[in-house]
Amino acid sequence: MPATIEVMIVDRHAIVRECIRRIAADTADIAIADEASSLRAASAAVRSRRFDLLVADIATEGGIALDGIRQLRSIAPAVPILVFS
């Protein structure tokens, strides 16, 4: 059995996080391990545990954009970040 991909969702809108969670629920090897509504919460989570992938809105509360991506990348340089808008 393949390893489960541990994903963190970062988006200020609960409905968007819910939609991504539902899509992932249909995929056996993807697990939503955590979610955050702000850059601050995402940074804290990334410091406290390992994720295989971050899925982030480009415009999350507290800023994601390029500075936020750089910040998350500095905390977890090996973790891929999928950015959407």
Side-chain angles (χ1 to χ4, degrees), residues 31-60:
I32 303 303
D34 202 354
E35 50 186 81
S37 62
S38 68
L39 177 58
R40 178 179 291 175
S43 296
V46 170
R47 282 187 183 93
S48 69
R49 69 170 293 175
R50 184 186 174 282
F51 298 97
D52 298 311
L53 174 67
L54 302 179
V55 177
D57 184 1
I58 193 74
T60 295

Side-chain angles (χ1 to χ4, degrees), residues 64-81:
I64 280 284
L66 295 178
D67 290 335
I69 292 167
R70 285 186 194 104
Q71 180 178 338
L72 292 171
R73 177 69 68 217
S74 72
I75 299 166
V79 178
I81 304 172

Side-chain angles (χ1 to χ4, degrees), residues 5-24:
I5 300 167
E6 301 280 324
V7 177
M8 177 176 185
I9 305 168
V10 185
D11 192 287
R12 69 181 178 265
H13 301 290
I15 189 73
V16 173
R17 295 191 311 269
E18 175 65 23
C19 288
I20 295 170
R21 198 171 34 254
R22 287 181 183 201
I23 292 167

